[in-house]
Amino acid sequence: MKSIVAIIGRPNVGKSTLFNRLSDRKKAIVIDEPGATRDRNYADSTWNGKTFTLIDTGGFEPESKEKILIQMREQTNLAVEEADIIIFLLDGRQGLMPADQEIARRLRGVDKPVFYVVNKIDGPKHEDVVADFYKLGVEPLHAVSAQHGIGMSEFMDEMAELLPDAAAQETAADDVIKLAVIGRPNVGKSSLLNKILGYERTIVNPLPGTTRDSIDSSFTMKGQNYLLIDTAGIRRKSRISLTLEKFSVVQAMKAVDRCDVALLVIDAEEGITEQDVKIAGLAFEKGTACIIVVNKWDLVEKDERTSGTYAMDIKDKLKFMDFTPIIFVSALSGQRVVKIFEFVEKVYGQYTKRVNTAELNNAVGAFLRANPPPQYRNKSNPVSYATQVAVKPPTFIMFVGDPKKIHFSYERYLINQLREAFGFDHVPIRLYFRKKRKPD
């Protein structure tokens, strides 16, 4: 397993800036607003050829009684428990604060390597402020500027010496299915994620928009490896009042880009809304496979026809992706949550399926004989050849005399036939037409 390195410290000391500098992929929200990062955030990182998993955490406020800050403190404690190495980040501009001293006191009882790093030391003129931090009674102190990269190489070279060599790290050969939990704010995305993982992986708070970053969690179920991404709730543009929320929308869109299957969570009590349809459209445009998870189903009064009527309403409002499977769950009680993964396995199997070229062309020939392409200005426009060029989503190209003459209704016919013939009934399909090549 990769070593885990956790970055902890008070809010707004530059943890996300350091995280972004070290991570292989820019991921954390960075904004000059205290508490912008509330949950733990994971990313892979490499230094001197050694790889490790980096954890960014919400700010640690040891004495706060405010509930959200208490939860952030619990998240930081959990990150420290998971970590192999800890980076305690301090703010060189603000100087040593009582909260820093309390965190340092708690870290003395941790039997793990701890690096004390004074951030925001942007040049020689700021180095004098480092002396104040020797009151903590620890050394060495590493003076860095996470924003500008000053002092980073010396600090990271020293930390990398504690990381195992690449040859000593296990390599996972199994495919990882990447899932993104998407939806409007406060529909129960974090509760669903916590129920799946079996412990409070992210902060659950009744306030909409509590989850601001997209959060990654790795786990294994029945021998299959998964990467689960919890995303910030996507809001209507007109309702995004905070700059921070705008960053969160971008994070959610990036999560859809990264995943194989998106779990679109809908509030059963509210029903499918216009915003739900827009979010589904976002996933569809990006070619992402989807499963619609109707949450809070335990709160709905129902009879034997309720689920069928509800599903019909969803499919009616999501005509462009009526192939998407629907499951009714309660994240709070755990009702049918495990069954989500039966759908995930089936959908992912279709999403990554390849069709043999000869088999594909035999089937396409049968489609054409059953319903030949309409003539255009009394001229035929035959399909001469078909091939699958990609998966995720399954993507096909058909070569025709004139691609511009293929009507969208005939394209829809061919897509429906491909679904039925090859078992692509739960995933998006991309079909493109190209001009038939002339023989040399």
Side-chain angles (χ1 to χ4, degrees), residues 8-11 13 15 58-74 76-77 88-90 97-107 136:
I8 70 167
R10 293 184 296 104
V13 297
K15 295 185 299 298
F60 190 100
E61 287 281 11
E63 301 304 325
S64 175
K65 299 298 188 291
E66 189 178 339
K67 185 177 181 181
I68 189 69
L69 293 177
I70 291 173
Q71 289 177 318
M72 287 164 62
R73 182 166 69 238
E74 291 170 352
T76 300
N77 288 336
F88 176 23
L89 201 63
L90 302 136
M97 306 292 284
D100 296 324
Q101 295 175 313
E102 174 61 20
I103 296 170
R105 186 186 66 79
R106 297 189 184 198
L107 287 176
L136 293 174

Side-chain angles (χ1 to χ4, degrees), residues 320-335:
F320 56 91
M321 52 188 297
D322 58 359
F323 52 83
T324 304
I326 302 170
I327 183 170
F328 299 88
V329 308
S330 168
L332 188 63
S333 69
Q335 181 184 20

Side-chain angles (χ1 to χ4, degrees), residues 105-124:
R105 186 186 66 79
R106 297 189 184 198
L107 287 176
R108 289 191 185 99
V110 176
D111 188 22
K112 298 176 181 180
V114 179
F115 287 83
Y116 294 80
V117 181
V118 183
N119 189 29
K120 304 182 185 179
I121 306 301
D122 298 333

Side-chain angles (χ1 to χ4, degrees), residues 24 30 36 38 57 60 72 93-94 99 120 175 201 203 212 217 231 284 293 351 353 365 373 411-413 434:
D24 293 340
V30 179
R38 292 180 173 183
T57 64
F60 190 100
M72 287 164 62
R93 292 181 188 170
Q94 290 187 343
K120 304 182 185 179
D175 289 335
R201 168 62 183 76
I203 295 169
R212 294 181 173 184
S217 299
T231 62
F284 179 74
V293 180
Y351 198 53
K353 183 177 182 178
E411 176 184 349
R412 188 169 57 221
Y413 161 74
R434 296 288 183 266

Side-chain angles (χ1 to χ4, degrees), residues 27-47:
K27 190 162 171 283
I29 296 172
V30 179
I31 184 172
D32 189 17
E33 179 180 322
T37 304
R38 292 180 173 183
D39 287 316
R40 287 171 294 149
N41 203 355
Y42 292 65
D44 288 334
S45 183
T46 305
W47 193 272

Side-chain angles (χ1 to χ4, degrees), residues 163-211:
L163 299 172
D165 294 331
Q169 295 183 12
E170 297 178 2
T171 56
D174 296 336
D175 289 335
V176 176
I177 299 177
K178 296 187 288 293
L179 305 177
V181 183
I182 64 174
R184 295 180 294 111
N186 219 32
V187 294
K189 298 185 301 301
S190 292
S191 296
L192 176 63
L193 184 147
N194 290 338
K195 183 61 66 173
I196 289 171
L197 294 175
Y199 67 99
E200 291 204 357
R201 168 62 183 76
T202 60
I203 295 169
V204 178
N205 192 297
L207 298 174
T210 302
T211 305

Side-chain angles (χ1 to χ4, degrees), residues 129-162:
V129 303
V130 177
D132 186 40
F133 292 91
Y134 281 103
K135 294 176 183 177
L136 293 174
V138 297
E139 56 180 334
L141 294 175
H142 299 274
V144 306
S145 170
Q147 183 175 4
H148 302 293
I150 299 171
M152 290 298 301
S153 294
E154 297 84 351
F155 152 56
M156 287 301 298
D157 287 346
E158 184 175 332
M159 194 194 78
E161 291 180 4
L162 302 181

